């Protein structure tokens, strides 16, 4: 099989012909005038800040600022209510419930499976290899005429590693559906983004987020980069005002402050190395998986006991020990130097009390 991708062949037919909701601010896009078109409150808001006007449905100002940062035209950017929104919209646009399939590669981010389940879309699971890479041949074998999306997470959550470039390229070239590369942790790796490969690969979709490196998880803004045609479809099926006004305002300020993101990322990378070194010294740690993200996947002799002990100390990490290929593993987010030391001191205390003499 060789790629003969055509967007209209993988979109659900009713989505192609769908007439979108036309909001007041779609029909008139000027900024000055007497606005009596959207049934807003003309006096103001119950808060000090004024939120009485609907926000820009397409976030033009943000995309204008974001485009040069990402090296892509604004027409190829979609912004959503977290990455969760484009994940959901991509499934809705392409997968007919109880009929179509997506491929996911456990262990990976949980939302790909959840959003398929929400829409009653079928899932083919192809496990990563034991060293957490894509099993390219197994994925190719799993593709059927009903497969619409292959979900790839790179760097992968919860394993922390970057997926092989040649494997992703092979899937792009041999699959007529969408290959989505979720790059939520791209700022923590030297590996370049797949955004630069969008031109050559019409079936490639790249997801990023403001929730991790940018420190804006509470704003709920995710990014999707794709062909102009696919972005138009996502815009057509999204809720009209999916990014709130305060989120848009905060994001505009944040984009002026890229250096602050870079400084925080540099600190997190320093702390990641320090945490790795400190964990390595502990005898209860069996293995620390190499990480290109802002967390470490750590295998313990008795993950459940460690997890319970840490909770007693009010230190919360993520138990991944029951996830495929992650036996005995806890996922530990890299904290500040002080937080990481609290964790390490606690683990040392646990180690001492659990040694039976
Ligand atoms: C954290 C994370 C996201 C971000 O989700 P948001 O909805 O943007 O907060 C996306 N993908 C992966 C793999 C993640 O780990």
């Amino acid at each position: 099989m060789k790629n003969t991708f055509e967007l209209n062949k993988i979109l659900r037919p009713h989505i192609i012909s769908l007439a979108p909701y036309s909001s007041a601010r779609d029909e008139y896009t000027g900024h000055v005038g007497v606005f009596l078109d959207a049934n807003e409150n003309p006096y103001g808001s119950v808060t000090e800040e004024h939120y009485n006007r609907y926000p820009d449905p397409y976030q033009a100002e943000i995309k204008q600022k974001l485009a040069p940062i990402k090296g892509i035209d604004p027409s190829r950017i979609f912004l959503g209510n977290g990455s969760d929104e484009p994940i959901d919209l991509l499934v809705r646009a392409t997968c007919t419930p109880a009929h179509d399939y997506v491929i996911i590669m456990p262990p990976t981010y949980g939302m790909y499976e959840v959003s398929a389940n929400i829409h009653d879309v079928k899932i083919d699971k192809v496990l990563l290899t034991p060293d957490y890479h894509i099993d390219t041949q197994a994925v190719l074998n799993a593709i059927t005429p009903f497969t619409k999306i292959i979900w790839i997470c790179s760097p992968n959550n919860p394993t922390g590693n970057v997926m092989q470039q040649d494997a992703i390229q092979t899937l792009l070239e041999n699959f007529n559906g969408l290959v989505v590369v979720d790059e939520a942790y791209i700022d923590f790796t030297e590996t370049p983004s797949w955004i630069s490969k969008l031109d050559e690969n019409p079936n490639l979709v790249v997801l990023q987020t403001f929730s991790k490196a940018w420190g804006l998880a509470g704003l709920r803004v995710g990014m999707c980069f794709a062909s102009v045609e696919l972005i138009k479809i996502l815009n057509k099926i999204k809720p009209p005002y999916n990014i709130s006004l305060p989120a848009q305002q905060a994001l505009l300020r944040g984009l002026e402050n890229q250096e602050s993101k870079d400084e925080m990322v540099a600190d997190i990378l320093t702390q990641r190395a320090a945490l790795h070194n400190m964990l390595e010294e502990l005898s209860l740690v069996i293995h620390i998986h190499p990480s290109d993200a802002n967390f470490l996947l750590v295998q313990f002799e008795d993950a459940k006991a460690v997890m319970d002990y840490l909770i007693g100390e009010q230190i919360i990490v993520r138990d991944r020990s029951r996830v495929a290929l992650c036996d005995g593993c806890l996922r530990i987010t890299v904290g500040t130097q002080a937080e990481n030391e609290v964790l390490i001191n606690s683990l040392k205390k646990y180690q001492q009390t659990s040694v039976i003499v």
Side-chain angles (χ1 to χ4, degrees):
M1 187 168 42
K2 198 76 197 157
N3 185 315
T4 54
F5 176 78
E6 263 180 62
L7 184 60
N8 277 348
K9 283 196 191 153
I10 65 140
L11 293 172
R12 296 163 72 190
H14 76 284
I15 294 286
I16 299 173
S17 56
L18 178 99
Y21 173 74
S22 183
S23 71
R25 297 298 133 83
D26 279 330
E27 295 182 8
Y28 183 84
T29 54
H31 290 288
V32 272
V34 177
F35 286 95
L36 305 177
D37 58 344
N39 299 349
E40 296 151 334
N41 185 325
Y43 292 106
S45 310
V46 294
T47 50
E48 247 167 72
E49 310 78 25
H50 281 198
Y51 298 127
N52 55 317
R53 298 297 175 185
Y54 281 100
D56 176 359
Y58 303 110
Q59 313 95 23
E61 243 186 296
I62 294 168
K63 289 177 186 171
Q64 212 62 47
K65 282 216 173 97
L66 186 59
I69 294 174
K70 296 297 177 186
I72 191 168
D73 193 80
S75 63
R76 305 179 69 173
I77 305 175
F78 172 87
L79 298 177
N81 182 0
S83 313
D84 298 339
E85 186 170 31
I87 290 171
D88 175 80
L89 294 177
L90 288 164
V91 173
R92 279 204 259 180
T94 59
C95 298
T96 299
H99 181 266
D100 287 331
Y101 282 77
V102 298
I103 292 178
I104 64 174
M105 303 176 205
T108 193
Y109 187 47
M111 274 312 289
Y112 317 137
E113 179 165 1
V114 170
S115 79
N117 285 336
I118 289 170
H119 297 294
D120 192 20
V121 163
K122 301 181 196 186
I123 301 168
D124 271 321
K125 293 185 183 178
V126 180
L127 279 192
L128 295 174
T129 61
D131 66 349
Y132 298 148
H133 282 108
I134 295 172
D135 187 342
T136 314
Q137 196 52 52
V139 176
L140 290 174
N141 293 344
I143 295 170
T144 74
F146 304 106
T147 312
K148 295 301 172 77
I149 300 177
I150 298 176
W151 293 104
I152 298 169
C153 189
S154 181
N156 186 41
N157 177 4
T159 62
N161 61 300
V162 169
M163 295 296 151
Q164 329 88 286
Q165 185 179 337
D166 56 340
I168 297 178
Q169 194 60 51
T170 301
L171 296 179
L172 281 165
E173 286 169 15
N174 291 281
F175 176 51
N176 289 325
L178 299 178
V179 175
V180 185
V181 182
D182 182 345
E183 297 183 333
Y185 300 97
I186 192 69
D187 297 275
F188 304 105
T189 171
E190 303 275 300
T191 311
S193 166
W194 280 85
I195 286 178
S196 62
K197 301 279 191 347
L198 283 167
D199 280 340
E200 306 147 40
N201 298 287
N203 57 338
L204 172 62
V205 179
V206 177
L207 300 181
Q208 293 186 7
T209 180
F210 286 101
S211 296
K212 308 284 155 67
W214 293 82
L216 298 172
L219 286 188
R220 309 305 306 130
V221 188
M223 298 166 255
C224 176
F225 307 96
S227 67
V228 178
E229 294 72 29
L230 182 56
I231 297 297
K232 280 188 185 155
I233 294 291
L234 298 180
N235 279 329
K236 190 162 93 159
I237 65 176
K238 79 183 180 76
Y241 303 107
N242 60 328
I243 311 285
S244 74
L245 183 59
Q248 293 198 34
Q249 290 168 337
L251 201 50
L252 280 173
R253 281 182 270 125
L255 287 170
E256 294 294 335
N257 219 352
Q258 222 194 140
E259 318 78 65
S260 165
K261 186 250 311 173
D262 295 339
E263 281 165 26
M264 289 192 286
V265 167
D267 287 344
I268 289 167
L269 296 184
T270 303
Q271 291 311 321
R272 181 177 77 193
L275 181 61
H276 191 286
N277 290 341
M278 291 189 290
L279 284 166
E280 229 168 18
E281 303 285 306
L282 302 176
S283 59
L284 78 171
V285 169
I286 298 176
H287 184 63
I288 308 164
H289 293 277
S291 173
D292 269 296
N294 65 339
F295 55 82
L296 295 173
L297 187 70
V298 184
Q299 191 182 26
F300 290 89
E301 235 156 76
D302 188 348
K304 168 109 181 47
V306 173
M307 179 82 193
D308 289 345
Y309 180 82
L310 289 177
I311 287 176
E313 302 275 292
Q314 294 187 302
I315 299 169
I316 326 301
V317 299
R318 197 86 198 269
D319 186 357
R320 300 283 81 178
S321 62
R322 282 176 298 277
V323 168
L325 302 177
C326 295
D327 265 358
C329 286
L330 303 179
R331 193 194 69 193
I332 304 174
T333 305
V334 177
T336 63
Q337 183 172 0
E339 288 174 329
N340 298 336
E341 278 165 9
V342 169
L343 169 76
I344 293 295
N345 288 335
S346 203
L347 287 173
K348 280 183 180 159
K349 217 167 78 188
Y350 169 82
Q351 205 166 255
Q352 278 161 7
T353 55
S354 65
V355 172
I356 294 145
V357 213

